[in-house]
Amino acid sequence: MASEAVYSHRDPMLKKRDDFEDILEERRNSSDLRYALRCYTPVLYKGMTPCKANTLKSMVLQSNQLRYVISQVSKETGRATDDVREDASAILEEMAHSLQLSTVRFFAFTLSKVFKTLFRSICVNEEGIQRLQQAIQEHPVVLLPSHRSYMDFLLMSYILYTYDLALPVIAAGMDFMGMKFVGEMLRMSGAFFIRRSFGGDKLYWSVFSEYVKTMLKNGFAPVEFFLEGTRSRTAKSLTPKLGLLNIVMDPFFKGEVYDVSVVPVSISYERILEEALYAREMLGVPKPKESTSGLFKARKVLSEDYGSIHVYFGQPVSVRSLAQGRVNRCQFNLVPRHIPGKPSEEIQNFVNDTAYRLVRAQEENMVLKPWVLLASLLLQNHHQNQTAGQERGIALDELTAQAVWLRDVSREYGAFLNWPGVMTPSEVVSSSLSLHRGLLEQGASRRRHSRRGALEPGSRRPLLRLVQEPGAARLHPTGPAASAIHAATSNQKQEVFNSFSFLRNMFSNEFILCPGATVQDFEEACYLLVKTRALQVTQQEVLVTERGQRTLAFLTSMLDPFLQGYQVICRFLCEEVADTLTEKQFIPAVRKFIVKHLLAGRLRYTEVLSSDLQKNALAALLRLGAVRKIKGAEPGTLKVNAVMVNSLEDTLGGKLPMQKAVSARL
Amino acid sequence: MDPLPPFTNTEAAWRPNSGSSSSSDRQRIAQQRLRIIAGHLQRSEDGDSSSTVLLAAECKAQESQKTAEEKTVPRKRHEIMKWNGWGYSDSRFLFNKKGQAEFTGKRYRLSGMIIPGLKDWFEGTFGASLQHKTPATPVLTSSSVPPPTLNEAFVEELKSTGIPFSLEAEDRVFRAHGHCLHEIFALREGKFGRVPDMVVWPNCHNDVVKIVELACKHNEGTSVSSALECPPEETRSIVSLDTSQMNRILWIDEKNLTAHVEAGIVGQDLERLLNESGYCTGHEPDSMEFSSLGGWVATRASGMKKNIYGNIEDLVVHIKMVTPQGVIEKSCQGPRMSTGPDIHHFIMGSEGTLGVVTEVTMKIRPMPEYQKYGSVVFPNFEQGVACLREVAKQRCAPASIRLMDNEQFKFGHALKPQVSSIFTSFLDGLKKFYITKFKGFDPNHLCVATLLFEGDREKVLQHEKQVYDIAAKFGGLAAGEDNGQRGYMLTFVIAYLRDLGMDYYVIGESFETSVPWDRVLDICRNVKARIVAECKDKGVQFSPLSTCRVTQTYDAGACVYFYFAFNYRGLSDPVHVYEQVEHAAREEILANGGSLSHHHGVGKLRKEWMRDTVSNVGMGMLKSVKDYVDPKNIFGNRNLL
């Protein structure tokens, strides 16, 4: 089987990676003021001249699409077109950016100061910047950074300013607008604001999509938005949101531009500014509302060391080449292009697949610091010791040895590891540990690390989970494969595949898994495992090699918290829910149930407390039909199919062979 | 390039003109006019009409209408026309010993002139070099042409009818191809595929009837695909039916302003003969020197001046076609009929798959009193298109209005002949200075619209003002008659230029589409970009010439013409690369809402897209017509369906 070909086909965006340059280095050696005031002359698409925010607004208001929708809305509601136009204009006022160079310069100055205090370095791949510069001149560009922190979009603009590239306009959530003054500052630095939900509002949708398209088509500025829609608070990538991606691809489908370049950008933080907040959220504490005072209070973070940031500008992806043979653009021939219509199924599928691939591309270029590996090891060690009832902690030299092993394994899996080559492994380990000293406890007598909060769930341990996530992401889909091998009752390839397929299906809300690519993913996982000599795959069988035992054990345990978490949620649904419950009740009730189990020691993983995991599990069960939403009564009433949930629980627990949900065959 | 697609002349009549030394006044006017439009020829001696193999038996009885001056074209066209390139043998571009480009012959306005700018443009645009030549096989070696497959019984019966025919290699090769790039490329290399087995020259409608009857009788598989690429899998004997001898105007009806004409007449002869009586059809496709009336009907041709005279479907009043089922024609000449679907529309665009068009009644018009060329410079292509759209909206389009993009403007500029006086060159310099420096037009963005006005002198001037006023609203500047005229000349010589390119590793072609107004700019940009991207992708070492022009305006859209050429040095199979790029360009056209063809037709080249274009049911309709009219596939050129 041509696994090689399949693999490379699956990842056209995966290329040899570039080297990094630290952009803070120059800032430490020269004047920030001069930097902020320097001559800034970015190259635009086809040599366009930048456009004033007001010109842009009037272009949008006069567009055929908007005029059409305005007259439609006016007909439907019986209001005068002028009134509706006023509304549209107001929406646009609320939404539009007002990019001003002076504000950008202000940010350039202050952010230089802030970044220098917070971070050791901000590393950018300059080749990526050059590719981006090329892309900006050739086609309209869409920037898609990963979203882990508030910092992300300021950081993006900062970098583009530094390299004299066109500043992007950024789609930001309306919640920022709630922040007095700051919202306006962001607006002036290129952010435009969109409401979180506007499902039925035709006019809003029309203004919004026309605004984005006008900017894109005319190449006034690269459009930047976050595919995941919102910050990921678990450090795991979120299921991509398709609305904006659909909008930016539309001009290409309709032939209004020759192509659109989409650039995935991976921003990896050694420590996320919001880590404490996220860690709390992982234990189920809800997210506070964004506010200026909150930001002000958060200034204490300024006194800490947040290590370095790596920003990787990925290979620009041509929408045209992705759509080749998948989207028939003739479908727009028979209706005037300015009349908005629901995207066809063909396009929806295409956009959906593309979105997943782009998120995967972001994940692939996330830089892993040694600390990520250490976090995984420490966590696993903690859990293992907890089960075995052994003494807690791990010796430093043992940790170092394991880290070296994991480093080599993850390199073989193609992880983008930033492991300083000049230092000895033990130096690397101790310097990583020093940055995160607060998280670990060091035993006094023997050099042993044990976690400070081991006894009390709800301490900062979730941080480790947060840290190891990017690493875990890199191991998809080998994780499910390893678990599948572990779970399968025999070595038969078909059976392993069935298990794999079951797990993949089960966790498709949890991880970024391209829909419909089960066979490909399985092939890819086998290919990787065989390549690293962890597996031997024959026509019929899958055999774990001696060498592979350890790797597979490690991989399996990465997935274990999720397996257990989903099981416990299934158990909750079977045991605690008599007949129905509402969606609102679900989270608090399941939380109570989990805490009970944790305290009783029946559950090892505090991660299960994360409401994110709980929601994903519920979504998966809804998707599989084990839980149904019923109409009538209260909105969002859930009905549990106890038999099915029960059998899912047993399957997850390994009591039943994983064959139920299999649809595809190898 | 290809103003004349391979399948244009189903009833192929590439009839070169005969001389007319004793012209009357009318003729003089007519000739002058044609010289302006077509860069007409000054014919000297005509090729002789002697033919050794041919049986001479003409329908003399029907010649009553012919004027004395008119002479029959040699049946052996290769005596005055190239067998492996475009047009007349005596007219071609070449680089002389000094490295200057020159156009030979005496037929065209450009003939005998030095074109100083062409070499630099040619080398600069294509990265070509005069050092690297790719000469064509000079002579046709008859021995390399496969011998004819003959159906003896058919030949015997044909002989008895007295209709002239030939089995000679030259005749057969000449009628085995159109002017698609791959066909000419193969000929230049001296390669022949399936060629017709015999060539027949019917002299009138009745001859055609006899031939078709014979073909049906012997299931001769008589593909009357004449100058067409023959289906290689065809095992039956292929007869090429050359209608060039059916070239008479049978009558002119001045009361109804119609003329009844044999379908083999070529455009330039038709215009010339009508002009003698003070009339014209006004149908002037770019290929009018060589394409025939029957060919126009069979491909739904479009003429440059359709804004005044209409396209072929507007011009035709009555058609007579010989099919295997018999002759199809309407019973009267009413100007419009509501008698079910118009049967003319089964014929127009049938591309030789149903029968042979033998006679056509066409509308004619009195010759225009006054003609005037013009041109407008726009700061960019977008403004130009906006202007054309406005002109179409106000329905005030001149006889012809065309908009060339920047690349084509430069191309046209490179074709400026050497100027004789210092004054002219000074004026040119001044004009250039005014436009680029004073008006601030960017020479790399500006584009030109060429115009042709026709009618009463007064109305023309009035019309001209109206159009220039509209142009001014879109930033257009009037740029003189001369530029306009040169623009039109370009379309006649561009096909000769392709042969020059092919001498130096450059191959190219043109293709066209029609598209709604709102998509014109998008399609132009995307198709041009696609061509460049595909060339790069396919390993073409030099950036290609990828240019377009808007050549016709309609109420609801426009016709867009693309030219594409590239330097193929370093490619092992340039024709294949070319075909891939053209294929991609066509896909791009369709994806951008363009039609499969505006006037070139479908042929075999674009057949694969027919089903998507007309839907399954539409395809079934066309098929059922073919099945009824020609069940044995006598007209087996396999075009269209």
Side-chain angles (χ1 to χ4, degrees):
Chain A
M1 215 171 298
S3 304
E4 182 93 58
V6 170
Y7 181 63
S8 58
H9 175 73
R10 279 260 296 131
D11 292 74
M13 307 172 207
L14 183 69
K15 292 273 153 60
K16 195 181 156 288
R17 274 116 174 186
D18 312 328
D19 296 330
F20 285 101
E21 289 285 327
D22 178 11
I23 58 167
L24 280 189
E25 201 173 291
E26 203 196 321
R27 293 278 47 75
R28 295 192 205 278
N29 299 326
S30 65
S31 154
D32 287 335
L33 194 61
R34 195 182 306 147
Y35 161 79
L37 295 178
R38 84 202 156 91
C39 173
Y40 169 72
T41 49
V43 194
L44 289 180
Y45 169 55
K46 285 185 186 160
M48 305 269 305
T49 44
C51 158
K52 289 266 179 316
N54 283 333
T55 328
L56 188 63
K57 281 182 203 165
S58 65
M59 281 174 80
V60 173
L61 287 175
Q62 279 157 23
S63 69
N64 288 329
Q65 199 226 145
L66 198 54
R67 285 212 300 240
Y68 175 83
V69 172
I70 286 173
S71 78
Q72 256 209 332
V73 169
S74 139
K75 259 180 227 153
E76 278 165 22
T77 58
R79 295 169 56 209
T81 39
D82 282 345
D83 289 357
V84 184
R85 192 172 300 116
E86 286 292 303
D87 284 2
S89 177
I91 292 172
L92 194 57
E93 281 306 317
E94 176 195 85
M95 182 184 306
H97 76 82
S98 55
L99 185 62
Q100 277 183 349
L101 200 53
S102 53
T103 317
V104 172
R105 291 190 193 284
F106 166 78
F107 270 113
F109 180 75
T110 40
L111 285 179
S112 294
K113 299 284 182 213
V114 173
F115 285 161
K116 279 190 282 187
T117 352
L118 287 176
F119 303 109
R120 293 183 192 173
S121 61
I122 298 177
C123 299
V124 178
N125 64 326
E126 289 201 341
E127 281 166 67
I129 292 285
Q130 280 159 18
R131 287 193 296 256
L132 176 62
Q133 185 167 21
Q134 188 67 32
I136 287 177
Q137 289 173 49
E138 284 170 358
H139 303 296
V141 165
V142 177
L143 292 167
L144 298 176
S146 58
H147 202 13
R148 301 288 176 269
S149 166
Y150 276 144
M151 281 323 281
D152 291 328
F153 82 79
L154 287 175
L155 183 66
M156 283 292 290
S157 299
Y158 183 81
I159 293 170
L160 295 181
Y161 175 80
T162 305
Y163 285 102
D164 213 19
L165 288 171
L167 287 171
V169 287
I170 307 123
M174 207 57 132
D175 19 6
F176 281 107
M177 273 263 290
M179 301 166 79
K180 278 175 211 129
F181 181 66
V182 176
E184 282 314 303
M185 283 294 281
L186 294 178
R187 193 193 284 279
M188 285 189 282
S189 63
F192 63 94
F193 297 98
I194 41 178
R195 297 180 192 158
R196 283 261 173 238
S197 59
F198 42 89
D201 192 339
K202 225 193 255 181
L203 189 65
Y204 191 89
W205 174 260
S206 168
V207 173
F208 164 55
S209 64
E210 191 58 36
Y211 182 65
V212 175
K213 281 190 232 173
T214 307
M215 289 190 290
L216 192 81
K217 275 191 292 198
N218 296 298
F220 292 139
V223 174
E224 175 181 317
F225 64 92
F226 301 106
L227 254 185
E228 298 153 279
T230 179
R231 273 183 305 162
S232 164
R233 301 173 141 69
T234 54
K236 275 191 331 207
S237 301
L238 304 175
T239 316
K241 304 283 180 291
L242 306 179
L244 252 168
L245 193 61
N246 219 325
I247 290 175
V248 296
M249 287 184 172
D250 194 62
F252 164 72
F253 294 142
K254 290 184 175 165
E256 292 164 332
V257 293
Y258 179 72
D259 198 355
V260 174
S261 296
V262 186
V263 183
V265 182
S266 318
I267 307 177
S268 347
Y269 295 89
E270 198 159 4
R271 278 180 74 188
I272 299 174
L273 292 178
E274 296 96 323
E275 61 177 18
L277 197 66
Y278 290 167
R280 248 181 297 154
E281 278 180 39
M282 287 192 82
L283 295 175
V285 181
K287 162 196 177 193
K289 199 171 177 297
E290 278 84 0
S291 69
T292 310
S293 60
L295 185 76
F296 197 63
K297 279 177 206 147
R299 73 190 184 283
K300 70 169 188 295
V301 299
L302 282 175
S303 56
E304 289 196 43
D305 177 359
Y306 286 86
S308 55
I309 306 176
H310 283 82
V311 183
Y312 193 95
F313 287 84
Q315 196 74 35
V317 180
S318 145
V319 174
R320 170 176 279 268
S321 54
L322 287 180
Q324 179 78 39
R326 289 208 49 188
V327 176
N328 180 2
R329 286 178 285 150
C330 293
Q331 61 189 286
F332 297 102
N333 285 358
L334 298 179
V335 179
R337 290 176 292 173
H338 65 266
I339 297 181
K342 200 175 178 298
S344 66
E345 203 178 321
E346 187 186 39
I347 286 181
Q348 282 177 9
N349 288 338
F350 170 73
V351 174
N352 190 36
D353 286 2
T354 309
Y356 276 92
R357 288 177 65 171
L358 289 165
V359 175
R360 288 287 291 271
Q362 286 175 354
E363 283 180 348
E364 260 146 23
N365 289 326
M366 285 284 189
V367 174
L368 306 184
K369 298 298 246 171
W371 172 237
V372 175
L373 305 185
L374 296 180
S376 324
L377 290 168
L378 287 165
L379 266 179
Q380 286 206 0
N381 184 264
H382 167 79
H383 290 312
Q384 272 158 19
N385 292 351
Q386 205 178 7
T387 341
Q390 287 171 353
E391 213 180 333
R392 295 196 168 82
I394 180 171
L396 184 59
D397 41 2
E398 197 186 330
L399 181 64
T400 309
Q402 284 194 15
V404 171
W405 168 80
L406 186 54
R407 175 193 70 185
D408 296 341
V409 169
S410 41
R411 273 192 184 147
E412 283 181 316
Y413 286 95
F416 196 175
L417 198 57
N418 185 261
W419 186 283
V422 286
M423 288 151 70
T424 63
S426 60
E427 280 171 345
V428 173
V429 171
S430 23
S431 94
S432 294
L433 292 180
S434 71
L435 183 66
H436 305 274
R437 189 157 298 281
L439 292 176
L440 301 168
E441 239 178 25
Q442 206 164 20
S445 53
R446 293 173 295 160
R447 283 185 62 80
R448 282 191 151 232
H449 292 273
S450 62
R451 271 150 247 85
R452 185 198 287 157
L455 290 172
E456 25 166 344
S459 80
R460 302 183 73 189
R461 176 148 32 89
L463 262 181
L464 293 178
R465 164 65 54 184
L466 204 62
V467 167
Q468 67 142 38
E469 271 317 327
R474 193 52 214 119
L475 296 171
H476 302 320
T478 43
S483 301
I485 293 164
H486 181 74
T489 43
S490 77
N491 290 332
Q492 291 300 309
K493 195 173 176 185
Q494 185 61 47
E495 200 168 321
V496 173
F497 175 74
N498 290 346
S499 307
F500 176 82
S501 170
F502 170 82
L503 288 171
R504 196 179 178 284
N505 197 9
M506 197 73 215
F507 291 125
S508 66
N509 295 68
E510 198 72 48
F511 307 111
I512 299 304
L513 300 166
C514 297
T518 312
V519 176
Q520 277 165 305
D521 274 355
F522 185 69
E523 293 286 343
E524 188 185 327
C526 286
Y527 167 75
L528 280 172
L529 289 167
V530 169
K531 196 182 92 174
T532 52
R533 281 168 290 152
L535 271 194
Q536 279 177 339
V537 179
T538 64
Q539 207 68 316
Q540 305 293 329
E541 282 188 319
V542 175
L543 294 170
V544 183
T545 62
E546 191 106 346
R547 196 172 182 278
Q549 297 289 358
R550 190 177 176 189
T551 317
L552 286 175
F554 179 82
L555 290 171
T556 311
S557 63
M558 295 282 275
L559 204 64
D560 211 36
F562 296 97
L563 273 170
Q564 300 239 353
Y566 277 48
Q567 268 184 71
V568 100
I569 289 162
C570 286
R571 200 174 312 147
F572 159 77
L573 289 171
C574 292
E575 288 175 11
E576 304 275 308
V577 182
D579 184 32
T580 57
L581 85 167
T582 63
E583 270 183 286
K584 269 193 197 143
Q585 294 164 337
F586 174 74
I587 297 286
V590 80
R591 191 173 150 74
K592 219 168 109 193
F593 185 78
I594 290 167
V595 170
K596 202 172 74 191
H597 274 259
L598 278 169
L599 291 175
R602 281 191 294 263
L603 187 61
R604 279 185 282 162
Y605 303 105
T606 48
E607 290 87 336
V608 182
L609 281 168
S610 157
S611 62
D612 195 63
L613 184 143
Q614 294 152 8
K615 281 179 203 155
N616 286 336
L618 182 61
L621 292 171
L622 279 166
R623 183 167 42 80
L624 295 174
V627 175
R628 276 181 304 124
K629 272 189 191 170
I630 46 171
K631 287 194 183 116
E634 252 180 288
T637 308
L638 303 169
K639 175 139 178 62
V640 180
N641 177 342
V643 180
M644 195 164 167
V645 172
N646 213 336
S647 91
L648 279 174
E649 190 207 333
D650 286 350
T651 317
L652 284 167
K655 289 179 205 153
L656 282 175
M658 295 181 177
Q659 270 170 336
K660 281 257 158 72
V662 176
S663 53
R665 281 189 66 84
L666 194 57
Chain B
M1 312 225 169
D2 182 26
L4 183 72
F7 30 78
T8 296
N9 42 344
T10 316
E11 284 70 37
W14 294 44
R15 187 167 171 275
N17 187 16
S18 341
S20 43
S21 41
S22 61
S23 335
S24 69
D25 252 18
R26 265 178 179 168
Q27 275 175 298
R28 200 175 44 72
I29 296 166
Q31 281 218 329
Q32 190 186 1
R33 198 177 129 261
L34 273 175
R35 194 159 47 240
I36 291 169
I37 303 157
H40 213 276
L41 41 149
Q42 310 273 319
R43 297 286 290 121
S44 49
E45 270 310 307
D46 175 30
D48 71 318
S49 53
S50 70
S51 49
T52 43
V53 264
L54 304 176
L55 302 170
E58 312 198 343
C59 299
K60 291 246 157 51
Q62 295 189 11
E63 293 213 329
S64 54
Q65 294 280 334
K66 290 181 78 177
T67 52
E69 296 88 352
E70 195 181 358
K71 283 177 192 159
T72 315
V73 176
R75 288 190 273 260
K76 296 186 164 297
R77 299 174 190 187
H78 48 268
E79 282 165 3
I80 60 158
M81 283 158 74
K82 298 191 191 86
W83 65 278
N84 62 356
W86 178 261
Y88 300 107
S89 304
D90 57 13
S91 301
R92 57 186 292 250
F93 282 97
L94 55 81
F95 287 113
N96 63 22
K97 291 202 177 78
K98 281 191 256 169
Q100 286 172 312
E102 173 181 337
F103 192 52
T104 63
K106 290 181 185 142
R107 296 171 190 270
Y108 297 90
R109 253 167 57 94
L110 213 55
S111 295
M113 295 214 200
I114 300 282
I115 304 134
L118 189 58
K119 176 172 173 272
D120 284 348
W121 177 83
F122 185 69
E123 293 187 331
T125 307
F126 297 109
S129 153
L130 299 195
Q131 315 306 319
H132 301 117
K133 284 203 75 173
T134 43
T137 315
V139 282
L140 194 162
T141 37
S142 313
S143 56
S144 58
V145 180
T149 319
L150 293 176
N151 181 329
E152 289 305 330
F154 176 82
V155 178
E156 281 311 311
E157 284 207 47
L158 186 65
K159 259 184 198 160
S160 69
T161 61
I163 299 169
F165 67 94
S166 160
L167 306 174
E168 273 185 27
E170 284 89 346
D171 290 322
R172 289 160 51 219
V173 166
F174 202 103
R175 288 155 186 86
H177 66 87
H179 282 263
C180 270
L181 177 84
H182 66 272
E183 297 173 303
I184 298 297
F185 199 88
L187 286 176
R188 287 172 60 93
E189 293 192 329
K191 288 182 189 153
F192 315 102
R194 180 78 162 95
V195 302
D197 299 300
M198 75 195 301
V199 180
V200 186
W201 286 273
N203 216 319
C204 59
H205 171 77
N206 289 339
D207 284 358
V208 177
V209 174
K210 280 182 216 158
I211 295 168
V212 174
E213 273 171 7
L214 280 180
C216 293
K217 184 172 154 198
H218 295 280
N219 191 12
E220 175 75 340
T222 308
S223 158
V224 195
S225 72
S226 72
L228 256 168
E229 204 182 347
C230 303
E233 66 277 15
E234 181 61 82
T235 53
R236 297 176 295 181
S237 178
I238 301 178
V239 176
S240 173
L241 209 147
D242 184 335
T243 57
S244 64
Q245 307 307 301
M246 295 170 55
N247 53 17
R248 287 149 294 216
I249 293 177
L250 298 176
W251 47 256
I252 292 176
D253 178 347
E254 306 203 12
K255 292 235 169 55
N256 295 310
L257 286 180
T258 52
H260 192 63
V261 189
E262 286 185 314
I265 196 166
V266 291
Q268 57 171 324
D269 286 355
L270 178 61
E271 282 311 278
R272 183 173 50 77
L273 292 172
L274 284 175
N275 288 172
E276 283 169 14
S277 321
Y279 295 103
C280 66
T281 62
H283 185 71
E284 292 180 10
D286 290 353
S287 60
M288 69 175 290
E289 289 175 287
F290 308 111
S291 58
S292 68
L293 172 55
W296 300 338
V297 171
T299 57
R300 297 180 68 85
S302 167
M304 176 178 100
K305 299 193 293 196
K306 72 93 196 153
N307 291 336
I308 294 182
Y309 300 97
N311 288 318
I312 195 75
E313 66 272 20
D314 310 309
L315 285 165
V316 161
V317 176
H318 184 267
I319 302 174
K320 200 191 263 185
M321 178 164 83
V322 180
T323 76
Q325 292 284 21
V327 175
I328 175 174
E329 63 179 322
K330 290 185 186 172
S331 67
C332 66
Q333 308 204 44
R336 182 181 188 274
M337 295 184 216
S338 175
T339 48
D342 191 338
I343 57 161
H344 282 173
H345 286 283
F346 290 123
I347 299 170
M348 285 188 284
S350 60
E351 302 190 0
T353 56
L354 300 178
V356 187
V357 176
T358 54
E359 289 169 18
V360 177
T361 308
M362 264 183 113
K363 294 182 200 167
I364 55 171
R365 299 288 305 161
M367 281 170 64
E369 178 191 304
Y370 187 65
Q371 265 196 333
K372 194 172 181 191
Y373 286 100
S375 64
V376 182
V377 185
F378 291 99
N380 55 47
F381 192 65
E382 288 76 12
Q383 295 279 64
V385 170
C387 173
L388 260 63
R389 205 281 161 266
E390 185 60 29
V391 166
K393 200 180 199 170
Q394 298 193 17
R395 291 199 170 166
C396 64
S400 169
I401 178 165
R402 288 177 172 176
L403 180 74
M404 300 190 267
D405 70 358
N406 183 259
E407 289 83 4
Q408 220 166 106
F409 162 73
K410 287 177 181 164
F411 180 24
H413 211 71
L415 280 175
K416 255 190 179 173
Q418 202 162 32
V419 284
S420 38
S421 79
I422 300 176
F423 182 67
T424 336
S425 87
F426 171 75
L427 266 184
D428 280 351
L430 209 63
K431 263 190 250 164
K432 194 174 164 191
F433 177 81
Y434 176 72
I435 287 173
T436 59
K437 296 291 182 308
F438 191 75
K439 280 287 173 181
F441 283 18
D442 180 345
N444 290 315
H445 284 126
L446 62 81
C447 73
V448 177
T450 58
L451 311 165
L452 173 62
F453 298 92
E454 225 177 71
D456 299 344
R457 193 185 153 79
E458 208 169 303
K459 275 188 188 152
V460 162
L461 296 177
Q462 206 184 336
H463 194 178
E464 192 184 17
K465 186 174 179 307
Q466 187 186 6
V467 172
Y468 283 132
D469 284 350
I470 295 174
K473 278 190 209 142
F474 296 90
L477 293 174
E481 285 185 65
D482 207 43
N483 280 320
Q485 197 172 353
R486 202 171 38 248
Y488 289 99
M489 180 197 67
L490 198 79
T491 59
F492 289 97
V493 299
I494 196 156
Y496 287 102
L497 269 169
R498 181 171 80 176
D499 290 338
L500 176 76
M502 287 173 92
D503 287 339
Y504 296 94
Y505 283 96
V506 174
I507 51 177
E509 184 75 281
S510 65
F511 42 89
E512 41 74 58
T513 186
S514 55
V515 65
W517 275 116
D518 72 312
R519 288 198 178 249
V520 171
L521 279 177
D522 291 331
I523 208 170
C524 290
R525 178 192 55 240
N526 290 351
V527 173
K528 288 199 287 183
R530 179 76 183 264
I531 289 171
V532 174
E534 290 289 331
C535 280
K536 200 172 164 193
D537 194 47
K538 302 286 178 298
V540 176
Q541 311 278 314
F542 307 88
S543 64
L545 172 71
S546 172
T547 154
C548 71
R549 63 167 195 247
V550 180
T551 58
Q552 289 291 7
T553 62
Y554 291 87
D555 287 348
C559 166
V560 181
Y561 225 92
F562 295 94
Y563 287 115
F564 144 54
F566 64 89
N567 181 342
Y568 68 83
R569 284 190 65 206
L571 297 181
S572 58
D573 190 353
V575 172
H576 183 61
V577 169
Y578 165 77
E579 281 168 350
Q580 285 178 311
V581 177
E582 191 190 349
H583 190 271
R586 182 56 61 181
E587 303 251 88
E588 191 63 33
I589 286 175
L590 298 175
N592 283 276
S595 66
L596 192 52
S597 174
H598 169 261
H599 61 274
H600 277 185
V602 175
K604 301 173 188 65
L605 195 63
R606 288 176 271 272
K607 251 163 90 166
E608 61 172 295
W609 292 290
M610 259 307 267
R611 191 170 289 277
D612 287 344
T613 303
V614 301
S615 80
N616 279 330
V617 180
M619 205 63 180
M621 279 177 159
L622 297 179
K623 274 222 163 75
S624 64
V625 170
K626 166 78 180 170
D627 289 346
Y628 169 73
V629 174
D630 183 17
K632 289 198 277 185
N633 195 25
I634 301 297
F635 293 89
N637 62 18
R638 302 189 198 182
N639 285 340
L640 198 60
L641 295 173

